[in-house]
């Protein structure tokens, strides 16, 4: 008996060598049986002296030489896999355990796999098209009764080609574009359309954002990060970025912080991708410099046609304050664009402290919103450091106005380094067809965060108007004293206009001029006294926008002669106190306006916070 077993094993070994050398729709691959390029079973244990490889070879030989339906027979511990009257293999508990299942489960899986594989057509692909990132490879399963003999051609070998591998078709890509892979075996043909595109963006990426401030505000920090992501992340043209910066905090001067931002990018003729962008935010130690000039872009205020509105060269390290305020007085929409144009061969680096309102039918509210944004940045010297590339331009403000809309802005500009000067210009232009980036820019108070600094176009080099509305030293200081029991203290804001550089124009209302009011309140009496500081809209509608002892106070527009209480100060007998107030006459408001220091007129009239600082 032992002799016959040894003889059977020897025959099986020879059979295994013979069958292993063949190719065809049914063949062994080690201990695995391949049927029409589908692995139907992998033997893992020895049975009756046959190794797993020999069992696979014997299975192939019997399956090849049999006909009929596949069935499962037997009960108890073993199951038999039959084709017609031929036994293909016996499945035992040991084999089932090695495959991590029961005998019944293993038999069911083999039955279903074998039946499905035998019913395949000549050629079958799981898909008819696919996208593959440029430079990467992909494998696609090719099955069928003639798949083993298939040949593959490509309509464009410079884009993609394929070859048969142990797991199917190995597709290799090189150039971008589209190629059709044609798989042929006899009279059977299958096509696979392959599109090869780059990723919409590579990851990870590292970018930087530069700001300044004492400290830089959360608003400045977030805006600079978002702007850096939209303009610095390397991506395909026309890409769309989706990200969430998350919580940010203020950043002390001279400090830096690295923020990881998950970004998803999709775009035309590319494959969507996502990853992390590391944004290094630097608060540069740039010393605060007062603006030497006020540039007043408000002539004309009412726009009746398109055309140039303002232009002036911004000199290196000569900070300016720019005010712009215009209403669309036409019957059709138009756009107002304020931009920096760098017509040199050297990149220009600027410090920008923005303040820009969305268009509003109420010119007072538009001017108030812009001034409010500007004051918040100006108080802490909080701004963005942006770069305008060589032969590039950058929008500072870009607004689309429907008839009757007012756009308003107040910002500080400082050319830090680069060329000796750049041109700042404002123009009323016709509405234009905008892509998604420029549409976002039109709806943002910071359009440069969406479009960066594109190359100068024909429209950036059109005729300009060199403005004469340049006003040096746009600051006013007023000192006022009030003694309890004496005359009220008064300061008229916008009463005495400043003159332009040529001394031929006066800035009526002093819009955009920074006023610092130093108030000294003295109580020489023997009784305590409470004093109020009140703002009055003396000349018409205006709002109170003040920094009182370092605290910002803003109100809605007041009607003519309307008042609002800015502060209440308590004075002990014989005491005196100083208070500092800072304000800017805002565009759209009516000036002069009045600040009055007086005894409290009606203690129940206002709900004000008591300011009591020595």
């Amino acid at each position: 008996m032992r002799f016959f077993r040894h003889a059977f094993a020897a025959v099986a070994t020879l059979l295994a060598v013979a069958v292993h050398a063949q190719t065809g729709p049914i063949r062994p691959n080690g201990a695995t049986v391949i049927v029409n390029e589908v692995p139907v079973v992998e033997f893992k244990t020895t049975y009756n002296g046959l190794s797993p490889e020999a069992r696979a070879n014997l299975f192939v030989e019997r399956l090849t030489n049999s006909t009929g339906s596949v069935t499962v027979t037997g009960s108890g511990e073993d199951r038999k896999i039959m084709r017609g009257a031929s036994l293909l293999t016996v499945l035992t508990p040991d084999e089932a355990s090695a495959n991590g299942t029961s005998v019944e489960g293993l038999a069911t899986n083999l039955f279903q796999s074998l039946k499905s594989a035998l019913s395949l057509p000549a050629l079958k692909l799981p898909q008819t098209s696919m996208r593959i990132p440029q430079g990467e490879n992909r494998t696609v399963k090719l099955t069928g009764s003639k798949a083993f003999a298939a040949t593959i051609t490509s309509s464009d070998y410079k884009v993609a080609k394929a070859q048969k591998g142990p797991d199917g078709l190995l597709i290799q890509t090189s150039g971008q574009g589209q190629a059709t892979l044609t798989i042929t075996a006899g009279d059977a043909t299958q096509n696979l359309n392959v599109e090869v595109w780059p990723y919409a963006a590579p990851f990870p990426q590292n970018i930087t954002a530069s700001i300044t401030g004492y400290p830089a505000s959360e608003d400045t920090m977030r805006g600079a990060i978002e702007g850096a992501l939209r303009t610095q992340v390397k991506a395909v043209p026309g890409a769309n970025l989706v990200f969430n910066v998350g919580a940010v905090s203020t950043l002390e001067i001279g400090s830096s912080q690295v923020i990881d931002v998950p970004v998803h990018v999709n775009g035309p003729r590319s494959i969507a991708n996502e990853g992390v962008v590391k944004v290094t935010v630097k608060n540069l130690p740039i010393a605060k410099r007062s603006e030497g000039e006020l540039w007043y872009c408000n002539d004309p205020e009412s726009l009746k046609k398109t055309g140039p509105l303002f232009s002036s060269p911004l000199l290196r390290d000569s900070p300016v304050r720019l005010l712009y305020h215009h209403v669309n007085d036409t019957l059709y929409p138009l756009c107002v664009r304020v931009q920096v144009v760098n017509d040199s061969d050297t990149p220009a680096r600027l410090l920008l402290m923005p303040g820009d309102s969305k268009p509003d039918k109420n010119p007072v509210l538009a001017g108030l919103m812009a001034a409010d944004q500007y004051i918040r940045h100006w108080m802490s010297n909080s701004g963005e450091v942006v770069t305008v590339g060589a032969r590039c331009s950058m929008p500072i403000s870009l607004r689309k106005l429907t008839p009757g809309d007012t756009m308003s802005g107040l910002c500080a500009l400082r050319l830090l380094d680069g060329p000796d000067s750049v041109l700042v210009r404002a123009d009323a232009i016709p509405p234009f067809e905008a892509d998604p980036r420029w549409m976002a820019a039109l709806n943002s108070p910071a359009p440069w965060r969406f479009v960066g600094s594109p190359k100068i176009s024909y429209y950036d080099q059109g005729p300009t108007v060199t403005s004469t509305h340049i006003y040096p030293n746009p600051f006013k200081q007023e000192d006022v004293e009030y003694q309890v029991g004496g005359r009220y203290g008064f300061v008229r804001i916008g009463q005495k206009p400043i003159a332009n550089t040529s001394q031929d124009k006066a800035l009526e209302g002093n819009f955009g001029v920074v006023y610092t009011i130093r108030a000294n309140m003295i109580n020489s009496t023997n009784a305590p006294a409470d004093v109020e500081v009140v703002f009055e809209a003396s000349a018409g509608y205006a709002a109170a926008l003040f920094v009182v002892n370092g605290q910002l106070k803003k109100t809605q527009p007041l009607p003519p002669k309307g008042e609002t209480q800015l502060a209440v100060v308590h004075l002990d007998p014989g005491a005196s106190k100083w208070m500092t107030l800072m304000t800017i006459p805002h565009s759209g408001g009516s000036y002069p306006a009045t600040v009055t220091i007086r005894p409290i007129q009606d203690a129940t009239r206002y709900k004000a916070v008591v300011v009591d600082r020595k």
Side-chain angles (χ1 to χ4, degrees), residues 29-378:
N29 182 14
T32 300
V33 176
I34 307 295
V35 177
N36 293 337
E37 301 307 307
V38 177
V40 296
V41 66
E42 179 185 3
F43 292 103
K44 297 184 177 181
T45 62
T46 299
Y47 177 73
N48 276 349
L50 294 177
S51 68
E53 290 78 9
R55 294 181 69 187
N57 292 335
L58 187 58
F59 189 105
V60 167
E61 191 270 337
R62 290 174 174 176
L63 180 63
T64 302
N65 296 317
S66 63
T67 59
S69 299
V70 177
T71 58
V72 179
T73 64
S75 59
E77 290 189 344
D78 297 340
R79 293 291 186 276
K80 296 179 180 179
I81 305 299
M82 310 288 294
R83 190 183 191 194
S86 299
L87 172 67
L88 300 180
T89 192
V90 177
L91 302 179
T92 65
D94 287 344
E95 184 66 31
S97 178
N99 280 273
T101 185
S102 63
V103 173
E104 184 176 351
L106 181 60
T108 300
N109 291 339
L110 176 52
F111 168 77
Q112 292 175 344
S113 297
L114 182 57
K115 184 177 178 183
S116 176
L118 289 171
S119 64
L120 284 171
L123 295 173
K124 183 178 180 181
L125 291 170
Q127 61 204 88
T128 59
S129 63
M130 65 188 305
R131 282 186 172 187
I132 306 176
Q134 184 180 6
E136 295 189 10
N137 301 333
R138 292 291 186 271
T139 298
V140 176
K141 191 66 180 176
L142 174 65
T143 57
S145 60
K146 295 183 179 180
F148 74 98
T151 59
I152 305 102
T153 60
S154 173
S155 64
D156 192 340
Y157 286 93
K158 294 180 180 180
V159 174
K161 60 184 179 179
Q163 61 185 23
K164 287 191 297 181
D167 299 318
L169 295 183
L170 176 62
I171 303 173
Q172 300 171 305
T173 67
S174 49
Q176 298 179 26
Q178 183 272 336
T180 299
L181 301 179
T182 301
I183 301 97
T184 304
D187 57 355
T189 300
Q190 286 280 293
N191 290 327
L192 178 63
N193 184 59
V194 177
E195 293 183 21
V196 180
W197 303 119
Y199 281 119
F203 290 103
Q205 293 194 37
N206 297 279
I207 61 176
T208 60
S210 297
I211 56 179
T212 188
Y214 308 113
S217 67
E218 294 179 18
D219 174 64
T220 297
M221 182 104 161
R222 178 178 296 278
I225 293 171
E226 293 179 352
L229 287 166
R230 294 190 185 101
T231 60
Q232 294 184 36
V233 167
K234 295 179 177 62
V236 297
N240 176 54
L241 278 68
V242 179
F243 55 82
N244 182 12
V245 173
V248 297
S249 59
T250 60
L251 187 64
E252 295 298 327
I253 190 166
S255 301
S256 64
Q257 184 177 354
V258 178
I259 297 176
D260 290 345
V261 183
V263 179
H264 177 87
V265 186
N266 59 70
R269 301 173 71 86
S270 64
I271 296 175
N273 197 16
E274 59 185 21
V276 172
V277 176
K278 290 185 176 293
V279 186
T280 301
V281 187
K282 300 177 180 180
N283 186 345
L284 304 179
I286 299 174
K288 185 172 184 177
R289 287 276 305 278
S290 297
E291 299 87 9
E293 294 176 335
L294 171 64
W295 292 359
Y296 189 71
C297 178
N298 184 242
D299 185 14
E301 181 173 341
S302 295
L303 302 178
K304 300 191 181 293
K305 61 180 181 179
T306 59
L309 301 173
F310 177 95
S311 73
S312 183
L314 177 64
L315 304 180
R316 190 191 304 166
D317 211 25
S318 298
V320 302
R321 189 181 313 140
L322 171 64
L323 179 148
Y324 48 91
H325 185 83
H326 298 281
V327 58
N328 181 0
D329 199 17
T330 72
L331 298 178
Y332 49 84
L334 56 77
C335 294
V336 174
R337 178 188 61 191
V338 184
Q339 61 178 334
V340 176
V341 181
N342 178 16
D343 198 16
S344 77
D345 295 322
T346 306
R349 203 165 61 114
L350 287 86
L351 174 59
L352 172 58
M353 295 182 193
D356 185 272
S357 74
K358 63 181 179 180
D360 201 296
K361 299 296 182 185
N362 187 330
V364 181
L365 284 177
L368 178 64
M369 181 182 297
D372 177 44
Q373 294 174 29
Y374 173 73
I375 284 182
R376 293 176 189 275
H377 293 121
W378 188 83

Side-chain angles (χ1 to χ4, degrees), residues 523-605:
N523 182 10
S524 300
T525 72
N526 295 324
D530 289 322
V531 175
E532 65 179 356
V533 182
V534 177
F535 171 83
E536 180 190 73
S538 309
Y541 280 95
L545 186 63
F546 279 81
V547 179
V548 182
N549 279 356
Q551 300 297 314
L552 182 63
K553 181 177 178 65
K554 180 183 72 171
T555 71
Q556 292 300 312
L558 301 170
K561 301 301 181 181
E563 293 182 345
T564 188
Q565 190 182 73
L566 299 175
V568 172
V569 178
H570 176 77
L571 295 171
D572 290 329
S576 65
K577 291 183 179 178
W578 283 91
M579 173 179 287
T580 300
L581 301 94
M582 190 272 284
T583 188
I584 298 179
H586 63 85
S587 298
S590 297
Y591 287 84
T594 307
V595 172
T596 304
I597 305 175
R598 68 192 184 192
I600 293 179
Q601 303 292 298
D602 183 353
T604 64
R605 185 176 179 185

Side-chain angles (χ1 to χ4, degrees), residues 488-507:
Y488 293 176
F490 293 100
V491 174
R492 295 281 284 172
I493 301 168
Q495 180 74 39
K496 299 176 181 179
I498 62 175
N500 66 349
T501 51
S502 57
Q503 298 292 308
D504 60 354
K505 284 184 172 64
L507 184 58

Side-chain angles (χ1 to χ4, degrees), residues 376-412:
R376 293 176 189 275
H377 293 121
W378 188 83
M379 287 170 61
S380 60
N381 195 44
S382 184
E384 291 182 48
V385 178
V386 297
T387 298
V388 184
R391 306 290 176 184
C392 292
S393 65
M394 187 189 77
I396 298 172
S397 178
L398 183 64
R399 294 295 191 177
K400 183 177 181 179
L401 308 180
T402 59
D405 277 351
T406 297
M407 62 89 69
S408 191
L410 186 64
C411 66

